[in-house]
Amino acid sequence: MKNTQMLLCDVLIIGSGLAGLTSALKLADHKKVLIVSKREILDSSSQWAQGGVAAVMSNEDSIDSHVKDTEFVGGGLTNPKVASFVASHGKEAIDWLHDLHVPFSRDDTTHQFHLTKEGGHSHRRVVHAKDATGRAIQATLSEQVKAHANITILENHIAVDLITEKKSLKVDHIKSNRCLGAYVLNNKTGNVITVSAQETILAAGGVSKVYLYTTNPDVSTGDGVAMAWRAGCRVANMEFIQFHPTCLFHPKAKSFLISEIVRGEGGLLKLPDGSRFMDEYDGRGELASRDIVARAIDFEMKKRGIDCVYLDISHKSPDFIKSHFPTIYARCLELGIDITKEWIPVVPAAHYSCGGVMTNLAGQTDLAHLYAIGETAYTGLHGANRLASNSLLECLVFGEAVAKHILQSKVDFTSFELPHWDESRVTDADEEILITHTWNELRRFMWNYVGIVRTNKRLSRALHRIHMLRDEVHEFYTNFKVSHNLIELRNLLQVAELIVESAIARHESRGLHFSRDYPKQLKIAKPTVMTPSNFYSLLDHNHGH
């Protein structure tokens, strides 16, 4: 049986986070845009971002200072040209959000934007909406997107794979290859839709659900990276996974982040006996960059056999705490923790991927007519570690850059008769439990073997398990109808393989990658670039079509 529904659009955007919505709004006056959202439009990592957007907004600050802070935290792997490009567009991005009426916090005295300071920043430059910046921005942009006549939103749909000339049309004689759209699964009906697009933008977020503990929502399963890799795009720096130092540790709290702002405004990290420890690891104490703070917490927990450490902001006045951290205060209070009087139990958790699909300054990937933005992309901005609040800024700047490039490009698109998704040789799965068990096993051994501190032995053990599971899932994918969970598991196994192979390839400790076997840093910093043609990977996923 073939799924016969076909949709046509000018631009297909896979993902509904800040990067995707920014591009959609910048394009929609001139192009027909189709947004594919795995759940509701607001279910993205952007929605969960508490901190804010880093941008040079005061006379005391400078673009040069922002670039230097980005490069310092990036551990020698930040591309200076990209850092300058992003930092120099910061104010413009904030002004655009302000014009859309995003309710940013204001200073009580000056009534200008209230700027806070986070770890790694030399100045107060983080524009925020209290402690729920992502939610405020996403809610504002979502309303704009829903109201625009040229934007169609497919909620509760997941992209299965990209459609390319070589793989999908079997056109082997052509020298170049291009993206023609994607196959998209309707989660509710189980039907696969063929989407034909002149341009496709991957804005599908990060990979953090490959780990047992994460601050990310369930949608962060590396879909964009995996699809681009299968389509022939290079990926880079996948070993650099940022573990946020302070995720709320509570059995009833799923993935709740305790924002960097708490430490930025004076929060102190403590052991169960009340003693502080961060000064022993870095002169900046609690305001050291995330990788240093996360490793320090991880070390103290393992050394002392404790389940968590504590973050204390109770020395500040209750009014200050409630006004600056209303979301954190309310959530903790629901769980019986009054942060005006009590310490917050915290643990590190997978938070952000600094690597991804390689792009240029226009967001273009190796595949013609395919772009990647946001956490899916590797632009060169973050290097070996991301400076706090640079991620939302990157989404805004590259969301605009991609839209600008598409609008300025001549349409050289030839119309193709795309093959429909063919399920004539597959059956309904009788054992969905395999998917659940494999998912749980993958996330657990990735946490244990490919976490904050790594060893060769652990990495090789993880890779061995990944290859076994990947072969099992490939067989499952080939013989049974696709489902939301199967698509995500397939993608997670692919990004897990890329993370581990990249970690094995790096014979040093740098930024977010810390190896016990290679504790020193090499003199020359080089990105880890993976190329599909040189890499053993199951690329033959035709699934009968």
Side-chain angles (χ1 to χ4, degrees), residues 201-277:
I201 302 173
L202 292 172
V207 307
S208 289
K209 286 302 283 189
V210 79
Y211 286 100
L212 186 61
Y213 301 112
T214 172
T215 61
N216 285 194
D218 290 341
V219 294
S220 300
T221 53
D223 306 329
V225 175
M227 284 190 291
W229 174 259
R230 289 193 294 263
C233 297
R234 290 171 300 161
V235 302
N237 283 6
M238 290 298 291
E239 70 271 35
F240 297 118
I241 304 293
Q242 188 174 70
F243 290 83
H244 198 286
T246 53
C247 185
L248 181 62
F249 180 72
H250 191 283
K252 292 182 181 176
K254 186 181 179 185
S255 309
F256 188 74
L257 178 69
I258 305 299
S259 172
E260 199 116 9
I261 293 179
V262 177
R263 282 180 288 128
E265 295 295 341
L268 303 173
L269 286 164
K270 294 181 177 181
L271 295 170
D273 65 3
S275 60
R276 291 177 61 204
F277 57 90

Side-chain angles (χ1 to χ4, degrees), residues 164-167 171-179 366-369 412 416:
T164 66
E165 279 182 303
K166 284 188 176 177
K167 195 168 83 170
V171 185
D172 293 324
H173 64 272
I174 56 171
K175 290 181 180 179
S176 62
N177 191 17
R178 67 171 78 181
C179 184
D366 293 330
L367 185 61
H369 300 282
D412 63 343
F416 292 96

Side-chain angles (χ1 to χ4, degrees), residues 314-333:
S314 63
H315 49 278
K316 293 282 189 178
S317 74
D319 286 344
F320 178 90
I321 291 169
K322 291 173 187 176
S323 64
H324 280 73
F325 321 117
T327 308
I328 296 170
Y329 172 76
R331 182 67 181 125
C332 287
L333 203 60

Side-chain angles (χ1 to χ4, degrees), residues 489-502:
L489 177 59
R490 178 187 179 222
N491 291 335
L492 280 170
L493 281 163
Q494 183 60 78
V495 295
E497 182 181 25
L498 290 168
I499 291 166
V500 175
E501 287 279 12
S502 299

Side-chain angles (χ1 to χ4, degrees), residues 409-470:
S409 299
K410 290 181 181 178
V411 178
D412 63 343
F413 200 81
T414 310
S415 181
F416 292 96
E417 182 65 36
L418 300 185
H420 292 288
W421 186 257
D422 188 357
E423 292 183 338
S424 60
R425 301 198 295 273
V426 297
T427 59
D428 287 317
D430 54 353
E431 287 285 335
E432 281 281 330
I433 194 73
L434 169 74
I435 297 172
T436 308
H437 281 183
T438 305
W439 178 295
N440 290 337
E441 182 183 350
L442 171 66
R443 295 182 66 207
R444 192 167 291 280
F445 73 64
M446 283 295 288
W447 182 260
N448 290 332
Y449 298 155
V450 199
I452 296 171
V453 177
R454 298 161 180 175
T455 66
N456 288 351
K457 190 174 181 181
R458 288 179 183 177
L459 291 173
S460 60
R461 189 172 291 174
L463 190 61
H464 177 69
R465 291 300 302 148
I466 289 166
H467 286 160
M468 287 178 64
L469 295 175
R470 184 196 59 189

